[in-house]
Amino acid sequence: MRASGVRSRPAGPALLLLLLPLLLLLGAAESLRRALPPRRYTPDWPSLDSRPLPAWFDEAKFGVFVHWGVFSVPAWGSEWFWWHWRGEGRPEYQRFMGDNYPPGFSYADFGPQFTARFFHPEEWADLFQAAGAKYVVLTTKHHEGFTNWPSPVSWNWNSKDVGPHRDLVGELGTALRKSYKPDLIWSDGEWEAPDTYWNSTDFLSWLYNDSPVKDEVVVNDRWGQNCSCHHGGYYNCEDKFKPQSLPDHKWEMCTSIDKFSWGYRRDMAISDVTEESEIISELIQTVSLGGNYLLNIGPTKDGLIVPIFQERLLAVGKWLSINGEAIYASKPWRVQLEKNATFVWYTSKGSAVYAIFKHWPENGLLNLVSPITTSTTKILMLGIQGDLKWSTDPDKGLLISLPQLPPSAIPVEFAWTVKLAGVK
Ligand SMILES: *[C@@H]1O[C@H](CO)[C@@H](O)[C@H](O)[C@H]1NC(C)=O
Ligand SMILES: *[C@@H]1O[C@H](CO)[C@@H](O)[C@H](O)[C@H]1NC(C)=O
Ligand SMILES: *[C@@H]1O[C@H](CO)[C@@H](O)[C@H](O)[C@H]1NC(C)=O
């Protein structure tokens, strides 16, 4: 996995970056290094938007999002704790502070309790790898300004001066890959001001033309008011964006295992935790529609990832270990959602077509209307040996006989993939 970090940046533009009152997340990715033809971009949207997206991002398909910072200390409500408490003065936050902290306790007083004492970046890296993630996006700086690296412009409000006394971004980056170069900048907070306020186009033209990561870096679309879903690299549009048909621009769905927060909350109930089948279902739909899926967890202030999040991540990893062939480096097929069986989503790779189905038909026959068979058609199920029998029916289309297996022999419990070769 590609590592994240900021120290390798030249001082000037790095300062510009750090001064942005945005949520900046630097990502890490495993990738194919593909040099882009050298060309200069000018600091305007038509030029910046014309940059081809480095290929690694589309091939990666699945990433892990990590919200971690001082908000992980109160670990209550959401990662916007500071804003809900001090900015909006929500009564439940006033009550929570009154009940649990001495009078006069400030948000900054949480800083020293952000210890990261049990943070072992290699363990995180191993977990994310086992989850099948190809990139990691960490909150290097959330909206209250605390930086998870020793930022020279966030004096006394960063993870080296306060709390862990460690460079958390750098350590995780090293564990992910022996490099210090950010590959992905996930900008946020764009609703606060126009892109001209942050000089976003100046920053991006430097990033694409002259930065040490100019060939591989990927950015999102939150660079100022009205940029989201219109300008930048790939599109996040709104949080948890879920298009219903194939967009014509690369996009990413970001979502959180905890349905109500991105940061860790001690008050999370089991019913707040997204089901494994829903996570896998969203991953399939997202990839079928050409998107990447960025799944969030919130570690504790100690740097632990609680077992329920580990369990969900490992479930995705187990599913991908069988079905990853239909996901990684796949492309949308000419049909995304099967017309007559809306539990079937398609992807493709080269001449292979993958039909991922979310319900096992009771009669053991999977009926597909979109693929057109030929004299060379061959069909198999990922994770199962041998070809499957199939036939065509003039009224119904393709009928695939699914293997009759005891539950213990079925490779995954939810969502199976048939691979079709020699179909049109
Ligand atoms: C963003 O769009 C809204 C609605 O169209 C418009 O009122 C506003 O001026 C735009 N802001 C910028 C910075 O372009
Ligand atoms: C944008 O650039 C101008 C001119 O160099 C500078 O005065 C201003 O501070 C910059 N804005 C930000 C948010 O850094
Ligand atoms: C698919 O559904 C449509 C509409 O319900 C129906 O008219 C058509 O016969 C179905 N086709 C097949 C092959 O089942």
Side-chain angles (χ1 to χ4, degrees):
M1 293 188 194
R2 193 74 60 81
S4 58
V6 292
R7 283 165 142 183
S8 61
R9 289 175 175 284
L15 291 180
L16 170 67
L17 170 68
L18 305 181
L19 282 167
L20 300 179
L22 298 175
L23 164 63
L24 293 170
L25 307 110
L26 304 179
E30 189 165 40
S31 70
L32 299 172
R33 282 171 180 275
R34 288 199 183 160
L36 297 166
R39 60 168 281 193
R40 303 289 298 178
Y41 295 93
T42 49
D44 54 80
W45 289 122
S47 172
L48 296 168
D49 291 344
S50 72
R51 177 182 183 252
L53 195 70
W56 72 261
F57 185 73
D58 180 48
E59 290 166 4
K61 303 297 184 194
F62 176 50
V64 172
F65 207 178
V66 182
H67 274 68
W68 194 36
V70 171
F71 49 82
S72 312
V73 175
W76 189 87
S78 99
E79 71 290 347
W80 282 81
F81 188 97
W82 165 77
W83 175 248
H84 294 325
W85 173 34
R86 307 298 295 191
E88 297 176 323
R90 289 194 190 178
E92 68 272 27
Y93 283 77
Q94 313 291 350
R95 258 197 314 278
F96 172 83
M97 289 308 295
D99 288 348
N100 297 291
Y101 294 91
F105 194 93
S106 71
Y107 188 82
D109 292 331
F110 287 127
Q113 295 180 31
F114 178 44
T115 63
R117 187 157 296 140
F118 306 121
F119 171 52
H120 298 296
E122 315 76 35
E123 290 177 7
W124 285 23
D126 289 349
L127 175 67
F128 300 155
Q129 189 100 33
K134 300 295 186 192
Y135 62 108
V136 177
V137 179
L138 168 70
T139 50
T140 54
K141 169 178 170 282
H142 203 258
H143 302 263
E144 54 15 355
F146 187 89
T147 64
N148 280 333
W149 83 94
S151 164
V153 295
S154 189
W155 180 80
N156 229 13
W157 193 233
N158 68 69
S159 65
K160 191 76 179 179
D161 293 342
V162 179
H165 301 289
R166 292 165 70 175
D167 175 2
L168 304 174
V169 176
E171 287 187 39
L172 181 62
T174 305
L176 293 172
R177 176 173 281 182
K178 308 288 174 207
S179 154
Y180 269 83
K181 289 176 182 177
D183 289 309
L184 191 154
I185 300 183
W186 209 101
S187 178
D188 196 13
E190 81 293 351
W191 57 84
E192 301 280 357
D195 60 82
T196 47
Y197 170 82
W198 286 298
N199 303 318
S200 297
T201 55
D202 288 334
F203 169 67
L204 290 174
S205 60
W206 167 79
L207 188 71
Y208 292 173
N209 290 327
D210 301 311
S211 80
V213 293
K214 64 187 170 65
D215 292 333
E216 301 94 22
V217 74
V218 166
V219 306
N220 70 345
D221 56 349
R222 297 184 179 178
W223 296 101
Q225 283 165 3
N226 303 348
C227 280
S228 174
C229 240
H230 293 103
H231 298 299
Y234 70 85
Y235 293 171
N236 279 115
C237 302
E238 69 268 24
D239 287 354
K240 308 191 183 182
F241 176 57
K242 220 184 220 186
Q244 294 306 308
S245 58
L246 185 66
D248 60 7
H249 191 96
K250 182 65 194 179
W251 63 284
E252 176 189 64
M253 177 192 186
C254 64
T255 191
S256 187
I257 295 179
D258 177 354
K259 293 175 198 166
F260 302 106
S261 179
W262 300 80
Y264 176 66
R265 300 183 291 143
R266 291 175 287 174
D267 53 331
M268 179 177 67
I270 191 69
S271 55
D272 301 340
V273 180
T274 313
E275 294 283 351
E276 172 186 335
S277 57
E278 194 178 334
I279 292 170
I280 290 170
S281 201
E282 279 180 344
L283 168 69
I284 296 164
Q285 178 169 343
T286 299
V287 172
S288 180
L289 289 170
N292 277 21
Y293 189 62
L294 184 64
L295 183 62
N296 178 75
I297 50 135
T300 69
K301 65 175 180 170
D302 311 294
L304 298 172
I305 297 170
V306 293
I308 192 72
F309 291 154
Q310 294 188 37
E311 191 264 349
R312 290 298 190 272
L313 290 176
L314 292 172
V316 179
K318 182 184 167 199
W319 189 86
L320 282 167
S321 73
I322 301 291
N323 299 286
E325 182 187 329
I327 298 293
Y328 301 122
S330 68
K331 299 277 180 209
W333 193 46
R334 64 176 169 80
V335 177
Q336 290 81 53
L337 180 61
E338 180 57 277
K339 289 175 209 63
N340 283 44
T342 54
F343 54 90
V344 184
W345 289 92
Y346 290 102
T347 64
S348 73
K349 195 187 289 176
S351 60
V353 175
Y354 301 90
I356 310 174
F357 58 105
K358 299 194 292 185
H359 301 291
W360 193 285
E362 277 176 27
N363 63 1
L365 284 179
L366 181 66
N367 183 192
L368 304 177
V369 299
S370 300
I372 299 161
T373 56
T374 66
S375 59
T376 61
T377 297
K378 266 182 174 306
I379 302 177
L380 55 80
M381 181 184 282
L382 297 185
I384 300 279
Q385 291 288 328
D387 291 347
L388 302 183
K389 292 197 167 53
W390 57 271
S391 61
T392 52
D393 178 289
D395 297 324
K396 290 200 160 106
L398 177 59
L399 293 165
I400 302 169
S401 302
L402 297 174
Q404 293 187 333
L405 296 167
S408 61
I410 299 179
V412 289
E413 287 160 30
F414 174 81
W416 309 268
T417 306
V418 289
K419 176 180 182 179
L420 303 105
V423 294
K424 290 186 281 191

